[in-house]
């Protein structure tokens, strides 16, 4: 049975404005985002960046992933005189975790977004490939597959946020509630009918 397949199609169907939105999402960015939060004392070190980069590369190889962003792939953009200097934060690790954390905090492009103020917590932003017909039932399995590279590199526990995981969690909760309540309600209703009529056939029709 299908509980909530293709909710996007359910609400928008063949609306021409939604088709335009889909085209723009493919060219720029969409709303199918998954934010993975994690804690790691060694995040702003060579080892931390190495593990995070390997996990990000594994996630990028998944067929349903369009883009992966994290502090490991972030750049520091600075103005030096008349020049614009773009430097990967990976190249700043020699300054030490505290110094890199301070630079990230002062960076208006990443301050409070990629890494916490103490440099021991971070996020990975994953954009899924736009798929209006993707069944909601598949999302939990996709999320498990998406988090596995992070777990394999020692990033645990993980915390999920975003429209995709929130929608999947709401669907799973609704499904579990329905599967628990429906049998109990059906049995109770049959008992009530039997008590009222004292016969089997009204219960059968009920």
């Amino acid at each position: 049975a299908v509980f909530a397949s293709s909710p996007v199609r359910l609400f928008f169907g063949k609306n021409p404005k939604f088709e335009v939105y889909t085209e723009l999402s493919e060219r720029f960015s969409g709303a199918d985002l998954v934010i993975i939060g994690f804690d790691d004392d060694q995040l702003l070190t060579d080892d931390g960046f190495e593990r995070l980069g390997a996990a990000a590369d594994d996630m990028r190889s998944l067929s349903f992933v369009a883009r992966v962003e994290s502090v490991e792939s972030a750049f520091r953009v600075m103005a030096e005189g008349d020049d614009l200097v773009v430097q990967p934060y990976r190249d700043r690790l020699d300054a030490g975790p505290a110094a890199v954390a301070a630079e990230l905090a002062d960076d208006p492009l990443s301050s409070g977004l990629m890494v916490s103020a103490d440099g021991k917590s971070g996020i990975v932003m994953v954009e899924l490939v736009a798929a209006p017909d993707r069944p909601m039932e598949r999302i939990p399995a996709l999320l498990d597959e998406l988090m596995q590279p992070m777990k394999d590199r020692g990033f645990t526990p993980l915390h999920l946020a975003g429209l995709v995981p929130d929608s999947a969690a709401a669907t799973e909760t609704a499904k579990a509630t329905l599967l628990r309540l429906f049998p109990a309600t059906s049995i109770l209703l049959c008992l009530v009918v039997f008590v009222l009529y004292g016969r089997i056939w009204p219960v059968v029709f009920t």
Side-chain angles (χ1 to χ4, degrees):
V2 175
F3 183 76
S5 286
S6 304
V8 173
R9 289 298 184 190
L10 174 65
F11 289 107
F12 298 107
K14 296 296 183 179
N15 190 312
K17 293 184 179 180
F18 177 70
E19 298 300 329
V20 173
Y21 165 79
T22 302
E23 293 178 5
L24 292 176
S25 297
E26 293 175 354
R27 293 172 56 189
F28 299 100
S29 182
D32 290 342
L33 301 178
V34 179
I35 308 299
I36 305 176
F38 60 92
D39 299 321
D40 193 289
D41 292 343
Q42 304 300 314
L43 174 58
L44 299 181
T45 65
D46 289 325
D47 175 68
F49 265 50
E50 192 68 29
R51 289 186 290 118
L52 186 58
D57 288 340
D58 285 350
M59 287 188 280
R60 292 185 184 101
S61 68
L62 298 174
S63 60
F64 56 88
V65 171
R67 186 164 58 99
V68 179
E69 297 292 344
S70 69
V71 65
E72 179 272 336
S73 58
F75 291 86
R76 186 185 188 198
V77 181
M78 304 171 291
E80 293 185 357
D82 295 330
D83 298 327
L84 186 66
V85 179
V86 179
Q87 183 180 31
Y89 275 102
R90 172 182 288 275
D91 294 345
R92 301 289 300 164
L93 296 180
D94 290 341
V100 177
E103 291 178 359
L104 284 164
D106 291 336
D107 189 339
L109 297 178
S110 62
S111 178
L113 299 176
M114 296 285 190
V115 179
S116 62
D118 61 3
K120 297 181 179 181
S121 300
I123 66 164
V124 176
M125 190 281 293
V126 183
E127 180 183 351
L128 303 185
V129 173
D133 296 319
R134 180 187 293 122
M136 185 61 70
E137 291 83 0
R138 287 190 56 205
I139 298 299
L142 294 184
L143 293 178
D144 289 340
E145 189 175 355
L146 190 62
M147 290 188 294
Q148 194 57 49
M150 297 288 291
K151 295 178 180 179
D152 291 342
R153 286 357 184 262
F155 295 105
T156 56
L158 300 176
H159 313 280
L160 295 180
L163 180 61
V164 174
D166 288 350
S167 300
T171 300
E172 288 298 307
T173 300
K175 183 189 297 185
T177 301
L178 181 62
L179 293 177
R180 285 195 300 266
L181 290 181
F182 182 74
T185 304
S186 299
I187 293 173
L188 180 61
L189 179 60
C190 290
L191 290 175
V192 170
V193 173
F194 181 76
V195 170
L196 289 176
Y197 294 96
R199 299 176 181 177
I200 298 297
W201 66 265
V203 176
V204 174
F205 281 103
T206 300

